[in-house]
Amino acid sequence: MTTPRPRIVLLVSASVADSDSLQRDLADDPDQACTVALAERGDQALEQCRDLRPDCVIVSDTLLDTEGAALTSALQTELPLPPPVILLVDAGNETIAHQALRRGVYDYMLRGAAPERIRLTVRNAIEAAALRASLEQQRQALAASVAQQADLAAERDKLAQKEGETRRLMNEALALLDTLIDSAPIGIAFADRDRRFVRVNRALALMNARPVEEHLGRCPSEIFGDIGAAWERWWQTVLTTGEPIVNLEVSILVFGRREYALASYYPVRDVDGNLLGVGTLVTDISERKRSEIGQRVLAAAGSILAASPDACVLGDVVRTLFPDLADYGLVHLRSPRGELQLLAAAHREREFEAQLATWFDAERLAVSGEAHPITRVVAEGQTLRDAPGLITAEAGALPEQLQPATSVIAPLLAHGRCLGALTVVSVEQGRQYIGEEVAVIEELARRCALLTAAAYSYQEVRQARAAAESAVEQRDRFISTAAHELKTPLAVLLGNAQLLLRRAEQDFSLDAVNRRNLRIIVAQAQRLNRLIATLLDVSRLESGRLVSARVPVDLCRVASQLAEEHTPTLIRHVISVDMPDEPVLVAGDELRLEQVVQNLLHNAIKYSPRGGEVQIVVRRDKNEAVLSVSDQGIGIPEAELPRLFQRYFRASNAEARQIGGMGFGLFVVREIVESLGGTVEVQSVEGSGSTFTVRLPLWTSGPALVPAS
Ligand code: ADP
């Protein structure tokens, strides 16, 4: 047990009697030791209070008016726990004491009071002060605690405010995110780890053709069956691997329409990296995809059609629709007699093609008469979509691969005629062709129709050409036979006429008129002879017997001889010949070479009706012999020059001037020259004249340069 600190009582009094009696009374306190310190004045007392920290101060009333009052208030203000002040008064001075009590003095005691009384008063004062101090301490502790509570409350308010702000920002961000997700043009979904939809935006709901609410809390397989199960498998892969799957092309049937989308699946994690689920982004690419499919089909069909203009490629054309637009397709054509024929039956799985051909063959269609949709389309030229009665069989009789789910029968229209029908079928249950797909099928039908029309007209042209060729052949055969038949009697006729004429000119047995008539007969018979010779050339050309021999022929001699022969008969024309003195030898058939020069010379005279110079030039040019015949006649229109050497071709200006001819001479010239290994060409200016130039290989002493044909 600790001994309590002895109490210190400060007596402020200048009176020795006071100090003696109080020291005695207090020192003798049996309950508690007490030390009495003394101060005579107020300032001393204050000093001692600071140093000694007395438990009680007893102030003599003798100091009351002066230092006592000052001391009391100084003690109150200067010390944190001022000691209680007891006023020591003489008996009868109680009034003063009561006044002092009002000014802060704790208690008073009378001088000369019983020691117990004195000690009790002091003890009370000290205990009351201690109690007051303790109360003060408690008050202060309470105040501190209240202040702390206030601080805490303020802190809490601050936190709450902060939290409110954070929540507000978060709500704003969520609202923004909601708006973004809901107004995004792409489908967005979030699924939890159990593959249940947690969030689905409007775009995706629209693509899936289900309201948003129908998705929430459910797995795709519960909503979309097999397709949903496939979807879930992708999610599961992402959940297992934690890796995203990006831009997967998917295709689904939505209310019968085939829709296409690009889907991406991403793992979604919280800030600590824990997998929360899987996010899905879906972009609808149906429009782009459909147009791509359409273009691809038409381009592929276009190149097939361009490569072979034959109706037998129509099966391959139908195949371009597989697999996106059809599972099988048929082409029926109307024969020229109006009957339908099945031209192509193509199936994605070729093993079904035979069966397909059976079900759609023309006879089976004919059983249902006009009522069959294909027959109707061909008759009316209008597309039919999902027409009933396409297959005339009992549904059960058909394998699944032939059961139509949706179909289009498009007419094959070309140049205003319906040539047949293209039938396109998808067996995908629930599918229905939409407008864009029908448009592609109709375009394909149109292209098939154009090909068919072209093939028809090609066939017609071929038939017409074959007929024309046969007619030409018959004509040539007739001409050849006729010419041969005419040749002998004409030779006899001409020989006898010439004999008669020679005689008549020698013995004048006929008069002048008859002699002239006889000359006309001879001249016309000779003309007829030339015509027959030309006709025979035609048949020789056909049989390749025009040039027979290969002997050295002097072109100079041929040219000068023919010039000489013609000169006496000419009135308006002058023939000039320009050639070297030595022979210009070529390998040929003399008769045919004469024919070449003769034809060119004859034309030069004939096509210069106003006369003028006709020049023949023969020369050597390196290892070639060159013969040219020039005139100053009507010339040839430039545009017609390329066709000049064609058989039966006649220039328009010759026709216009009614200059007679068959258009055969130049053809014969070219045939002869080319068969001798040479060339012939023409230069001409319409209205000024023409030059025909023949080039032939010079004769060499060795074997003939050109083999006999
Ligand atoms: P033809 O003279 O019997 O009509 P050709 O085959 O000899 O037949 O000639 C073909 C065509 O070439 C002639 O019809 C004529 O238009 C043209 N032609 C030929 N030679 C000449 C020429 N020297 N001047 C102008 N036109 C010519």
Side-chain angles (χ1 to χ4, degrees):
M1 201 179 136
T2 51
T3 328
R5 181 176 78 97
R7 289 196 180 141
I8 299 170
V9 175
L10 177 64
L11 175 67
V12 189
S13 172
S15 154
V16 178
D18 282 350
S19 63
D20 285 350
S21 72
L22 275 175
Q23 253 177 334
R24 189 184 55 238
D25 293 345
L26 291 174
D28 291 347
D29 188 350
D31 294 333
Q32 194 171 5
C34 188
T35 307
V36 178
L38 296 171
E40 290 187 3
R41 296 192 311 271
D43 55 342
Q44 283 173 346
L46 198 59
E47 192 71 21
Q48 294 222 40
C49 278
R50 283 186 193 121
D51 293 345
L52 297 174
R53 303 249 162 205
D55 298 295
C56 176
V57 178
I58 301 171
V59 179
S60 164
D61 58 355
T62 52
L63 292 173
L64 199 63
D65 291 338
T66 55
E67 289 156 56
L71 174 65
T72 308
S73 69
L75 285 176
Q76 300 295 338
T77 54
E78 288 195 23
L79 295 180
L81 279 174
V85 176
I86 301 170
L87 192 63
L88 186 65
V89 292
D90 288 328
N93 263 356
E94 283 89 345
T95 316
I96 299 167
H98 286 144
Q99 284 170 357
L101 286 178
R102 281 198 290 272
R103 288 202 305 270
V105 168
Y106 177 73
D107 205 352
Y108 69 94
M109 55 190 181
L110 298 178
R111 268 191 193 92
E116 288 76 27
R117 181 85 200 158
I118 298 286
R119 286 201 284 271
L120 188 65
T121 305
V122 169
R123 205 181 301 141
N124 278 344
I126 290 172
E127 280 171 8
L131 197 65
R132 210 172 56 234
S134 154
L135 280 174
E136 178 59 23
Q137 255 177 9
Q138 281 176 20
R139 189 193 64 77
Q140 280 180 8
L142 192 69
S145 147
V146 166
Q148 205 177 4
Q149 290 291 329
D151 283 355
L152 280 175
E155 189 73 10
R156 211 176 39 238
D157 283 355
K158 236 190 238 169
L159 278 175
Q161 209 178 350
K162 218 169 180 178
E163 195 185 310
E165 178 71 0
T166 312
R167 192 169 299 124
R168 191 182 60 77
L169 286 175
M170 206 169 80
N171 285 340
E172 260 179 36
L174 282 176
L176 197 72
L177 196 65
D178 274 358
T179 317
L180 273 179
I181 289 178
D182 270 341
S183 57
I186 57 170
I188 301 173
F190 177 71
D192 61 17
R193 301 182 58 154
D194 296 328
R195 305 183 302 279
R196 296 186 184 285
F197 285 109
V198 173
R199 187 80 205 263
V200 170
N201 76 342
R202 275 203 294 266
L204 188 63
L206 217 64
M207 281 183 217
N208 291 342
R210 306 285 164 112
V212 171
E213 304 72 52
E214 206 179 313
H215 293 77
L216 302 180
R218 298 172 75 194
C219 292
S221 58
E222 292 171 38
I223 313 172
F224 307 111
D226 288 350
I227 294 165
W231 194 345
E232 270 186 71
R233 280 196 291 279
W234 290 115
W235 278 355
Q236 189 52 54
T237 309
V238 172
L239 289 169
T240 315
T241 62
E243 294 294 327
I245 296 171
V246 180
N247 283 348
L248 191 77
E249 197 173 305
V250 290
S251 152
I252 51 166
L253 275 190
V254 181
F255 291 132
R257 291 166 67 102
R258 177 141 293 291
E259 302 284 2
Y260 303 87
L262 274 188
S264 298
Y265 309 113
Y266 298 93
V268 177
R269 299 172 194 279
D270 65 10
V271 281
D272 300 322
N274 301 316
L275 199 58
L276 298 177
V278 49
T280 301
L281 297 182
V282 185
T283 315
D284 185 355
I285 54 163
S286 301
E287 233 168 80
R288 194 187 78 199
K289 185 76 185 170
R290 271 196 286 271
S291 120
E292 267 174 24
I293 290 172
Q295 281 171 12
R296 183 182 53 67
V297 164
L298 294 178
S303 48
I304 293 172
L305 293 171
S308 168
D310 203 314
C312 67
V313 300
L314 289 174
D316 292 336
V317 172
V318 171
R319 277 176 219 289
T320 61
L321 294 163
F322 305 160
D324 297 304
L325 285 179
D327 292 303
Y328 65 86
L330 311 148
V331 179
H332 287 89
L333 287 186
R334 185 154 47 180
S335 75
R337 287 200 305 271
E339 298 152 355
L340 268 193
Q341 289 174 342
L342 174 65
L343 213 87
H347 197 288
R348 269 179 78 181
E349 296 169 53
R350 289 202 182 232
E351 65 211 75
F352 291 102
E353 289 188 347
Q355 222 172 332
L356 196 61
T358 314
W359 281 111
F360 286 97
D361 96 352
E363 277 177 30
R364 194 178 279 265
L365 260 53
V367 173
S368 21
E370 299 294 306
H372 194 278
I374 295 180
T375 318
R376 257 164 50 216
V377 168
V378 177
E380 292 160 18
Q382 300 283 339
T383 301
L384 283 183
R385 195 191 314 190
D386 296 325
L390 179 62
I391 293 228
T392 51
E394 295 296 314
L398 279 181
E400 210 179 283
Q401 287 83 349
L402 297 187
Q403 302 266 11
T406 182
S407 66
V408 172
I409 310 168
L412 301 186
L413 294 169
H415 316 301
R417 278 198 305 160
C418 184
L419 306 176
L422 167 68
T423 306
V424 173
V425 176
S426 169
V427 299
E428 187 177 9
Q429 281 315 303
R431 179 163 181 186
Q432 267 195 323
Y433 284 129
I434 59 166
E436 287 156 83
E437 292 166 330
V438 175
V440 172
I441 294 165
E442 282 178 325
E443 177 58 23
L444 193 69
R446 203 181 60 80
R447 294 186 186 194
C448 289
L450 289 175
L451 167 98
T452 311
Y456 277 177
S457 61
Y458 176 68
Q459 215 174 341
E460 281 163 14
V461 166
R462 224 167 35 182
Q463 281 167 355
R465 197 163 69 199
E469 276 169 0
S470 132
V472 167
E473 201 185 305
Q474 275 184 17
R475 184 202 60 194
D476 287 351
R477 210 174 311 125
F478 171 76
I479 289 172
S480 162
T481 316
H484 273 290
E485 293 301 316
L486 285 171
K487 206 175 142 196
T488 318
L490 188 64
V492 175
L493 191 77
L494 182 61
N496 282 305
Q498 282 170 329
L499 190 70
L500 266 179
L501 183 61
R502 265 203 305 278
R503 252 191 228 154
E505 278 175 346
Q506 280 166 9
D507 61 12
F508 295 100
S509 53
L510 289 175
D511 60 23
V513 175
N514 282 328
R515 279 205 307 276
R516 199 170 63 90
N517 289 342
L518 202 53
R519 268 199 293 277
I520 291 172
I521 290 172
V522 169
Q524 290 303 322
Q526 281 171 333
R527 195 157 162 244
L528 210 53
N529 212 13
R530 276 200 304 277
L531 281 173
I532 286 173
T534 305
L535 290 178
L536 281 173
D537 282 346
V538 173
S539 77
R540 287 195 192 103
L541 267 175
E542 295 299 325
S543 54
R545 289 180 288 109
L546 200 61
V547 177
S548 52
R550 289 284 194 285
V551 293
V553 179
D554 180 9
L555 271 188
C556 294
R557 192 174 53 73
V558 173
S560 57
Q561 200 173 314
L562 283 169
E564 252 170 56
E565 277 175 21
H566 275 83
T567 302
T569 61
L570 300 174
I571 304 165
R572 298 184 188 170
H573 298 85
V574 180
I575 301 178
S576 68
V577 184
D578 181 359
M579 60 183 74
D581 293 336
E582 67 276 12
V584 175
L585 296 177
V586 295
D589 172 336
E590 180 153 2
L591 208 66
R592 294 301 161 205
L593 283 169
E594 266 181 30
Q595 200 176 350
V596 167
V597 183
Q598 165 80 19
N599 281 358
L600 294 178
L601 191 58
H602 186 72
N603 279 351
I605 294 163
K606 186 163 78 169
Y607 294 109
S608 49
R610 292 200 192 151
E613 186 183 1
V614 174
Q615 194 184 28
I616 306 176
V617 176
V618 181
R619 60 187 172 86
R620 278 197 189 83
D621 182 15
K622 294 176 191 156
N623 54 356
E624 281 184 332
V626 181
L627 175 132
S628 62
V629 180
S630 311
D631 62 61
Q632 299 167 334
I634 60 171
I636 300 145
E638 195 182 344
E640 296 176 30
L641 285 174
R643 300 166 60 202
L644 206 65
F645 293 92
Q646 285 175 9
R647 183 153 56 159
Y648 308 126
F649 178 77
R650 306 209 65 227
S652 54
N653 58 346
E655 290 280 303
R657 286 161 193 264
Q658 296 185 328
I659 302 173
M662 288 169 64
F664 197 75
L666 284 182
F667 173 70
V668 171
V669 166
R670 194 186 63 181
E671 287 293 311
I672 295 171
V673 170
E674 287 184 354
S675 68
L676 292 172
T679 58
V680 57
E681 56 187 38
V682 59
Q683 284 178 316
S684 182
V685 176
E686 193 180 1
S688 303
S690 314
T691 298
F692 287 81
T693 305
V694 172
R695 290 175 175 272
L696 287 163
L698 282 170
W699 167 264
T700 54
S701 52
L705 288 174
V706 180
S709 53

